[in-house]
Structures are given as structure tokens and as C-alpha cells.
Amino acid sequence: MSQEEAASAIQGVFDAYEFNSPDQAKWVDELASLSQGWPQHINSVAVAAGQVIRDHSGSLQSDLLLQALELGKEKKEQYYYTRLKECSEHPKAYKQLALAVKDRGGVLSWDDIYDLTENIRNKKSLSMDNFLTNALHAGVLMEIRNRPKDYMIPIPSFEDYLRKLPIEPPLNMSSS
């Protein structure tokens, strides 16, 4: 969704719960930016904001906005954790893809993914088709519409989350 559509969705939540103040527009804009226009994140950041506002008797003070943004970030990371948990392979494989996609201008070819995951797929006797289907289904990768057999990590903050995982990729999985 666009920034405007995300803001409109969050504004709808604020209107429904009658969260009103002169700072409301700033809250809506900041929360929409944090959501990156992804529906699941719009929900997460709206819930986070609602919790903070409710816990502070409906206040929309700017120091509370920082709390809401931090809680929204936590909820986004929980979403990523859940997505990654649904993947069939060890998180190291997905971290390696995130590291490689950054070095390749945001795009991985089928061949790149094949090469980067070959060792782990061989260890588990997993075909490339099964690996790719699982990564697509879990939302780790998305095929680029106008470039068949080219893939990207669809949510920029998910890519960041994967790169920052506190694990080291196997030495034999190179991003070059």
C-alpha cells in the first residue's frame, strides 16, 4: 500500500477509537511510515499505538509516540520471527540470502539462490523447487513480476531483520 493508504487505514483505527488530539496527524504519519505499507504491519503498529494510548488514558503526547513506535517495531519483529519459524530450513540459509541480495542490488536470480542454498539443501535432501516454494510461501522471497526467475525479499525491514540474525552463515555459503 502507499504511504497515503497506510495512513488512511491507521486514521480509520484512530477514528474508530476516538483517539483525537492536535498531535494525531504526526502519530498517523509516523505509524504509517513504520508499517511500510504492509497490511500485517499496519495492523501491528495500530495495535501497538492503541495499547500505548489506552494505557495512558487516551493521551497522544509525543513521548508516548516513541513508546508506540518501539512497541510497533517489536510487533514487526515478532511477525518476522513467526514467518521465519514457518520456513523449512535453518535461519542461516535465509540470512545468507538477505546478505547476498543486498550485494546484488536487491535481486537474486534462480541460479544465485541455487548456489547459495546448495549445501544446506544437499544436507537435507531438499530439492530447489521445494526450497523455493517454501521460501515463497513463507514470504521470505517473492518473484519479481516482470523478471521471471528473479526474486527479492518483499519487505525491506524483513530483509534487515534477516541480515541482523545473531547467527553466522556457514563458511561454505558465500555471497559472492
Side-chain angles (χ1 to χ4, degrees):
M1 300 173 83
S2 70
Q3 172 76 11
E4 293 78 27
E5 292 168 324
S8 177
I10 293 168
Q11 182 65 55
V13 172
F14 274 52
D15 291 346
Y17 290 99
E18 298 179 356
F19 297 149
N20 299 308
S21 93
D23 292 331
Q24 181 187 46
K26 180 176 174 70
W27 277 67
V28 169
D29 188 53
E30 292 285 331
L31 293 165
S33 292
L34 181 60
S35 77
Q36 297 179 308
W38 290 91
Q40 63 275 19
H41 292 332
I42 291 169
N43 180 58
S44 294
V45 301
V47 167
Q51 287 175 341
V52 170
I53 294 167
R54 183 196 65 223
D55 291 348
H56 293 88
S57 304
S59 177
L60 295 176
Q61 296 172 336
S62 47
D63 63 322
L64 297 178
L65 173 57
L66 296 176
Q67 287 181 23
L69 293 171
E70 281 304 311
L71 184 56
K73 288 176 189 174
E74 289 175 24
K75 290 187 175 298
K76 282 175 56 173
E77 290 203 354
Q78 182 60 43
Y79 171 79
Y80 297 145
Y81 173 82
T82 301
R83 300 300 322 150
L84 196 54
K85 195 173 176 183
E86 292 179 14
C87 293
S88 63
E89 297 315 311
H90 193 280
K92 287 180 185 181
Y94 302 105
K95 179 175 182 168
Q96 184 63 27
L97 293 176
L99 291 168
V101 78
K102 182 179 181 184
D103 295 338
R104 290 175 170 84
V107 177
L108 293 173
S109 69
W110 187 96
D111 290 331
D112 291 334
I113 297 168
Y114 182 90
D115 292 343
L116 290 164
T117 62
E118 185 173 25
N119 187 40
I120 199 159
R121 287 183 298 98
N122 287 341
K123 283 183 181 178
K124 297 201 173 197
S125 300
L126 184 68
S127 73
M128 176 63 173
D129 286 341
N130 286 341
F131 177 86
L132 199 51
T133 297
N134 183 260
L136 292 167
H137 178 73
V140 175
L141 294 173
M142 177 178 84
E143 189 169 15
I144 299 172
R145 287 185 186 162
N146 59 348
R147 295 173 60 177
K149 303 297 182 192
D150 279 350
Y151 302 87
M152 61 185 280
I153 298 174
I155 306 172
S157 56
F158 193 15
E159 182 181 326
D160 294 339
Y161 173 83
L162 293 170
R163 278 197 307 270
K164 292 176 185 174
L165 286 173
I167 52 177
E168 291 301 316
L171 293 176
N172 55 358
M173 290 181 75
S174 155
S175 64
S176 43

